């Protein structure tokens, strides 16, 4: 097993903790995993998660609340639709009231 495989599994385990109706960022997950400078690697993990039904990859966005990973979802607006189904308001690929729906993985400790 490569080290990245182990890291990706840790990312998926963290993503599974994100409550419905909340989002987090690539950087918040990286920081939580003790790899604060690895936000891009978290993004790669999320890109590979699109076929893992138990990983809510749609709840992971960039640090400003933009749906930067939306092109990895089937359909044109699937990521946005999944978020909106959970009560999150998205306008022009931007989550509204980002601070209110943001979930910090470290807050669970």
């Amino acid at each position: 097993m490569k080290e990245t495989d182990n890291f990706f599994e840790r990312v998926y385990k963290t993503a599974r903790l994100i409550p419905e109706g909340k989002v987090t960022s690539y950087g918040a997950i990286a920081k939580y995993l003790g790899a604060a400078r690895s936000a891009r690697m978290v993004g790669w993990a999320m890109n590979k998660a699109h076929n893992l039904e138990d990983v809510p990859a749609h709840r992971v966005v960039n640090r400003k609340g933009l749906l930067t990973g939306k092109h990895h979802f089937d359909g044109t607006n699937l990521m946005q639709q999944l978020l909106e189904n959970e009560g999150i308001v998205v306008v022009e690929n931007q989550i509204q009231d980002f601070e209110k729906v943001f979930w910090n993985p470290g807050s669970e400790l």
Side-chain angles (χ1 to χ4, degrees):
M1 180 190 293
K2 295 185 303 206
E3 194 172 312
T4 53
D5 293 342
N6 185 30
F7 183 79
F8 282 18
E9 281 308 314
R10 290 170 50 217
V11 169
Y12 301 149
K13 186 175 182 180
T14 305
R16 288 181 187 108
L17 299 174
I18 306 167
E20 187 172 322
K22 296 286 185 180
V23 295
T24 196
S25 67
Y26 305 107
I29 290 177
K31 186 175 179 183
Y32 173 71
L33 295 176
R37 300 180 65 94
S38 298
R40 184 167 286 160
M41 201 151 142
V42 171
W44 292 336
M46 288 294 99
N47 293 347
K48 293 189 105 179
H50 64 274
N51 57 357
L52 302 174
E53 289 191 22
D54 65 330
V55 176
H58 65 283
R59 295 181 189 150
V60 184
V61 297
N62 86 353
R63 63 188 166 87
K64 295 179 180 175
L66 286 170
L67 310 188
T68 52
K70 72 177 197 153
H71 58 279
H72 292 284
F73 289 82
D74 292 334
T76 43
N77 288 321
L78 181 59
M79 184 177 187
Q80 180 172 335
Q81 290 168 344
L82 290 168
L83 290 168
E84 288 174 341
N85 288 346
E86 296 182 11
I88 295 173
V89 178
V90 180
V91 176
E92 295 182 8
N93 298 318
Q94 173 76 50
I95 292 175
Q96 304 302 293
D97 295 321
F98 184 54
E99 304 79 31
K100 290 182 183 174
V101 297
F102 184 80
W103 176 78
N104 184 353
S107 66
E108 301 295 304
L109 301 175

